[in-house]
Amino acid sequence: MDIEFNKNEDQNKQLLFQLRKKLEKVKLGGGEKRIAKEHQKGKLTARERIDYLRDAGSEFLEVGALTADGMYEEEGGCPSAGVVTGIGYVKGRMCMIVANDATVKAGAWFPMTAKKNLRAQEIAMENRLPIIYLVDSAGVFLPMQNEIFPDKEHFGRQFRNNAKMSSMGIIQVAAIMGSCVAGGAYLPIMSDEAMIVDKTGSIFLAGSYLVKAAIGESVDNETLGGATTHCEISGVTDNKYDTDQECLDAIRNIFDKIGAYEKAGFDRKEPSKPKKDENELYGVFPSDRVKPYDMRAVIERLVDDSEFDEYKKDYGKTLLCGTARVDGWAVGIIANQRKIVKNKKGEMQMGGVIYSDSADKAARFIMNCNQRKIPLIFIQDVSGFMVGSKAEHGGIIKDGAKMVNAMANSVVPKFTIVIGNSYGAGNYAMCGKAYDPRLIYSWPTAQMAVMSGASAAKTLLQIKIASLKKSGETITPEDEKNLLEEITAKYNEELSPYYAASRLWVDGVIDPLETRKVISMGIEAANHAPITEKFNVGVIQT
């Protein structure tokens, strides 16, 4: 191993250490004292419920663990947006699990809570996955109700999704394991089956205090909407259980008797590990984001047997396209190449930039994968499309549009891993969040923005200085330096993968060694949803 490899490994492992510390904190939810209070009530926490529910020793792919990270600080924070979501296995059946975290503001819904719940439902709907709701929520966080209540992608959208999933034949099972109030009461009752834990679970449109204020009736919450009321009198819930564990056992019994699902038919063979050491990912991926490297070295440590069959290897060299297997699944890979390379005319091309020939190659490769029913993996480390008169005269916009068109209209499932830069239109062409990847995760080394931090800071500085000078203010070199530092710090914060994960621009930040797991579980989930659309790119200029 050379010095550069060791330097990369050290810096990438430092980033990984920071990620682990963040996740450890997030997984404590509202903190150890709040966890102890839940235990005193005889309740399990959200994460304990998921661990008990899913099959022992099985994988769990968390979605949105870092949602709301660094947000809502004035309200005391909202770790993981107060809800735990992810893909797991119950009695051998892959499913989406959604569990309110009552240790965080009593499980109240913040704006990002709604966004995260809708993302979980979106994944279930796209992949036809059964969904389990473990309900324990005080309802909408009232001080922010204007940001969560009335709009299209707000609180009410989840109930619309309940109805849509039911019509699609997607199994929905709910357990009321704590509070379930107001509009939130519709979620479990619009599910196929709703169960409730006695004495700790309750469900009503209005609690006792509101009932007293509204109609003058005095009634306690247990009589109003407890397990006995709804299982024996109203019939709102189906069965009651004495403990969280008994209720979760009942869900497992339901899943034990579910029939087989129709498959999309993606190809899978016996999985193999990469022949090249996966742990070397930390060393082969550079810590310096402008330093050239060979993306093949990354791919070979992600794919089975380190075998990657390249498409048009000698054409459009700033994009690598080819087929491989990941954990046995056949995949088509499109990855940015950050090496400085020569094109077919012998001209030098910058790494990380998409040129006309690269875009043309990728568009054709995407069409081939759709023809052959092969899922697509996009590995992003992209600075954007090539600019300048030569690129414009060569039709970069036309060729870039061709790639975006093919990618956007792709009917095979798409998955995106952001490992480095994700700038400008490059983010779009390489299947950013706006283009419906089934899953999108980033490494701790990722950055997402319109342009790089250095370029953006200088541009913003010029705009700021021009504005100040127009107002008649005198700007000294020291002022310029301070302004640049201030702008750079703000922009760098927004470039962070944690900033993106907090806002669900990505589904999470992962250890590079988890990349194979994300792709494999993602394709397994997608295999639950047969492809019913025909691939049609519409109008493409050639």
Side-chain angles (χ1 to χ4, degrees), residues 42-289:
K43 296 166 64 178
L44 300 174
T45 65
R47 292 183 183 279
E48 288 168 344
R49 287 167 177 164
I50 291 174
D51 286 343
Y52 185 94
L53 175 66
R54 64 190 182 89
D55 297 344
S58 65
E59 295 281 12
F60 181 67
L61 178 58
E62 187 161 353
V63 175
L66 292 163
T67 307
D69 177 55
M71 299 175 70
Y72 312 125
E73 295 298 329
E74 291 182 4
E75 287 78 24
C78 187
S80 219
V83 62
V84 183
T85 59
I87 300 171
Y89 300 86
V90 176
K91 287 292 183 177
R93 282 298 302 261
M94 180 176 264
C95 58
M96 171 60 70
I97 305 172
V98 178
N100 299 114
D101 188 348
T103 71
V104 179
K105 302 292 185 192
W109 283 59
F110 283 69
M112 287 306 301
T113 315
K115 188 171 183 177
K116 184 171 175 178
N117 273 265
L118 293 177
R119 176 60 178 147
Q121 289 183 320
E122 178 184 41
I123 291 171
M125 293 169 80
E126 284 181 330
N127 299 293
R128 303 293 195 275
L129 289 181
I131 187 166
I132 298 168
Y133 306 102
L134 306 180
V135 185
D136 193 348
S137 171
V140 168
F141 185 65
L142 288 176
M144 303 186 80
Q145 64 84 28
N146 64 313
E147 297 180 46
I148 189 175
F149 173 64
D151 209 350
K152 180 178 178 179
E153 299 294 335
H154 281 179
F155 189 72
R157 185 77 171 182
Q158 67 173 333
F159 313 129
R160 174 262 189 196
N161 287 350
N162 280 144
K164 288 289 185 181
M165 281 191 277
S166 185
S167 71
M168 293 164 67
I170 296 172
I171 297 160
Q172 300 178 83
V173 176
I176 301 153
M177 311 184 82
S179 297
C180 183
V181 300
Y186 289 106
L187 184 142
I189 309 311
M190 292 183 76
S191 299
D192 304 342
E193 196 158 344
M195 46 203 66
I196 187 168
V197 179
D198 198 15
K199 300 299 185 288
T200 55
S202 60
I203 179 169
F204 34 64
L205 293 180
S208 57
Y209 291 122
L210 185 54
V211 168
K212 177 69 174 176
I215 63 173
E217 180 186 1
S218 295
V219 60
D220 64 89
N221 282 338
E222 187 64 27
T223 304
L224 183 66
T228 299
T229 294
H230 285 311
C231 286
E232 298 181 18
I233 300 172
S234 72
V236 166
T237 51
D238 301 313
N239 287 296
K240 65 178 179 179
Y241 302 89
D242 291 332
T243 65
D244 280 9
Q245 291 87 340
E246 288 181 16
C247 187
L248 296 168
D249 286 338
I251 295 175
R252 288 181 57 79
N253 287 338
I254 291 171
F255 272 72
D256 191 41
K257 300 170 182 67
I258 292 174
Y261 60 91
E262 190 178 352
K263 294 183 180 180
F266 303 124
D267 186 63
R268 191 180 198 186
K269 291 187 176 178
E270 187 67 28
S272 299
K273 289 282 190 182
K275 284 182 179 176
K276 296 193 176 179
D277 188 354
E278 294 174 74
N279 289 288
E280 291 177 358
L281 283 170
Y282 303 126
V284 298
F285 186 77
S287 53
D288 182 347
R289 63 183 54 257

Side-chain angles (χ1 to χ4, degrees), residues 115 119 122 126 378 380 404-405 407-410 414-416 418 422 424-441 448 500 503-507:
K115 188 171 183 177
R119 176 60 178 147
E122 178 184 41
E126 284 181 330
F378 292 83
Q380 288 195 11
V404 171
N405 197 325
M407 181 272 298
N409 284 299
S410 180
K414 299 170 292 195
F415 303 88
T416 303
V418 186
S422 180
N427 169 282
Y428 298 163
M430 292 294 291
C431 196
K433 185 66 182 287
Y435 292 85
D436 298 322
R438 296 290 178 98
L439 294 172
I440 175 170
Y441 281 82
M448 252 182 264
R503 288 150 183 81
L504 269 178
W505 300 345
V506 295
D507 292 316

Side-chain angles (χ1 to χ4, degrees), residues 336-355:
N336 303 108
Q337 175 64 293
R338 214 160 81 186
K339 284 176 69 177
I340 305 299
V341 298
K342 287 185 179 181
N343 66 10
K344 59 185 178 181
K345 298 176 182 177
E347 300 165 326
M348 299 303 290
Q349 294 186 329
M350 293 187 296
V353 177
I354 302 174
Y355 288 75

